[in-house]
Amino acid sequence: FKKITLQKEQGDELVQVGHTFNHMIELLEQNFKNQQRFISDASHELRTPLTVIESYAKLLKRWGKAKPEVLDESIEAIYSESLRMKSLTNQLLDSIKNQSYLDSHGEFTSSIEEVLSECIKNLKQAYQREFKWSGIKEGLLVQLNPLELKQIFYILFENAIKYSDGNIEVTTKREDQYVVISIKDQGIGIEPDHIPFIFERFYRVDEARSRDTGGSGLGLSIAKGLVEKYKGDILVKSEPGKFTIFTLKLPIGKGVIQ
Ligand code: ADP
């Protein structure tokens, strides 16, 4: 897109037309950027539910006929992950209708217990990893859309899975007007020099690249965007070679779970 420059000598009306034209170009550029951003974010986000669906489908194929409990659990997980994918694709359609997908949000309340236990169950199944969850579980509500909350958890858990080998520890508690959730792994950690940049789009630490984890550098920027949309916060603490803790501070939910 190219803007035009008009001088006063060319007449007031023409200058006005020039301004309008340049403004339209700015809007077009912004729209174009929003759509490009959504496409890359959506492709990143569609991968996790697909991985979960794939692993449950595998389980069904192997045990579905012999074990009724496997049948029930797999169908439920496949159904709920498909709903999530549908919601993401609807957001994609909305963004094509020119609404930035990061702008749209209504009044939501989600239960940490429900969303977190579902995420843990699905990721255990998909990646065969163990999670230890301590702290308050019941009655923690946050002011977030449950689908987006799941999206944030998936991003942080998948990073913990990618960049460590051991158990992943989760703690949940209340602090003033926030629910605080920490996710700790004992993995490669992050050097202090990199910490200020990890929430930037496409930023990846070199070590992570050489470890060839197949990441894209998008996850944390998506998580941060979602958390900030709901006036929450996301913090990180790490010791290279020892541990990484991501802490989410999410505003306490007031309404009824939807
Ligand atoms: P990626 O797709 O590369 O994982 P992210 O935006 O999710 O992208 O993360 C950005 C970078 O932050 C990663 O490439 C990695 O270097 C670092 N990182 C994120 N989470 C962790 C973690 N739990 N342990 C170590 N490094 C991490």
Side-chain angles (χ1 to χ4, degrees):
F1 300 119
K2 205 164 174 213
K3 287 192 182 173
I4 52 170
T5 323
L6 288 165
Q7 308 297 337
K8 208 163 171 37
E9 303 82 69
Q10 290 166 289
D12 282 350
E13 268 178 33
L14 211 53
V15 170
Q16 194 52 43
V17 171
H19 281 319
T20 313
F21 179 81
N22 286 345
H23 182 60
M24 277 166 62
I25 292 216
E26 274 167 26
L27 287 178
L28 270 174
E29 276 174 347
Q30 193 51 45
N31 266 327
F32 189 63
K33 270 193 203 140
N34 279 348
Q35 287 184 22
Q36 272 186 326
R37 178 178 176 142
F38 186 81
I39 290 166
S40 45
D41 286 2
S43 348
H44 180 273
E45 292 312 282
L46 287 170
R47 272 206 325 235
T48 322
L50 262 178
T51 309
V52 174
I53 290 175
E54 186 189 1
S55 74
Y56 273 105
K58 249 192 218 158
L59 192 72
L60 263 183
K61 214 171 148 192
R62 197 175 155 113
W63 299 109
K65 287 196 183 117
K67 297 186 177 177
E69 67 279 12
V70 166
L71 195 68
D72 289 346
E73 187 188 330
S74 310
I75 289 171
E76 191 49 49
I78 289 173
Y79 178 63
S80 98
E81 291 306 286
S82 333
L83 287 184
R84 208 169 88 82
M85 289 181 70
K86 194 165 145 194
S87 149
L88 277 166
T89 36
N90 283 339
Q91 284 177 23
L92 175 59
L93 291 175
D94 282 349
S95 91
I96 287 166
K97 281 190 253 151
N98 288 339
Q99 295 161 6
S100 165
Y101 76 106
L102 278 175
D103 292 343
S104 55
H105 72 99
E107 284 289 307
F108 290 106
T109 302
S110 337
S111 147
I112 290 289
E113 189 181 19
E114 249 173 54
V115 178
L116 196 51
S117 46
E118 195 191 342
C119 288
I120 291 177
K121 178 181 70 75
N122 287 344
L123 293 174
K124 258 181 155 173
Q125 175 56 39
Y127 296 100
Q128 305 294 313
R129 292 283 293 268
E130 285 307 315
F131 294 80
K132 275 200 263 171
W133 179 4
S134 56
I136 306 178
K137 290 187 185 166
E138 280 162 35
L140 286 182
L141 301 182
V142 289
Q143 280 174 51
L144 249 86
N145 173 338
L147 292 173
E148 290 176 324
L149 182 59
K150 203 168 173 187
Q151 214 168 332
I152 299 167
F153 284 143
Y154 272 164
I155 290 169
L156 299 181
F157 281 135
E158 286 211 308
N159 278 348
I161 290 167
K162 272 191 289 188
Y163 303 114
S164 80
D165 299 317
N167 289 351
I168 294 152
E169 288 167 40
V170 191
T171 51
T172 41
K173 62 181 179 188
R174 254 191 90 147
E175 220 174 72
D176 305 324
Q177 288 310 300
Y178 293 94
V179 171
V180 179
I181 304 134
S182 299
I183 295 172
K184 178 178 183 184
D185 67 70
Q186 279 159 359
I188 61 172
I190 309 166
E191 294 286 344
D193 295 358
H194 292 288
I195 296 269
F197 307 107
I198 56 169
F199 293 99
E200 285 176 10
R201 280 170 70 72
F202 301 112
Y203 188 85
R204 305 200 68 215
V205 178
D206 283 346
E207 265 170 273
R209 211 177 281 143
S210 63
R211 210 180 137 140
D212 197 19
T213 49
S216 58
L218 279 174
L220 287 179
S221 80
I222 297 173
K224 193 176 168 71
L226 290 170
V227 167
E228 287 180 348
K229 175 169 123 175
Y230 291 96
K231 312 249 177 315
D233 207 355
I234 178 166
L235 309 157
V236 58
K237 199 174 160 201
S238 184
E239 236 184 82
K242 293 204 170 128
F243 68 85
T244 303
I245 307 174
F246 280 94
T247 303
L248 289 168
K249 277 183 79 176
L250 305 175
I252 283 183
K254 298 182 190 98
V256 178
I257 299 169
Q258 288 145 356

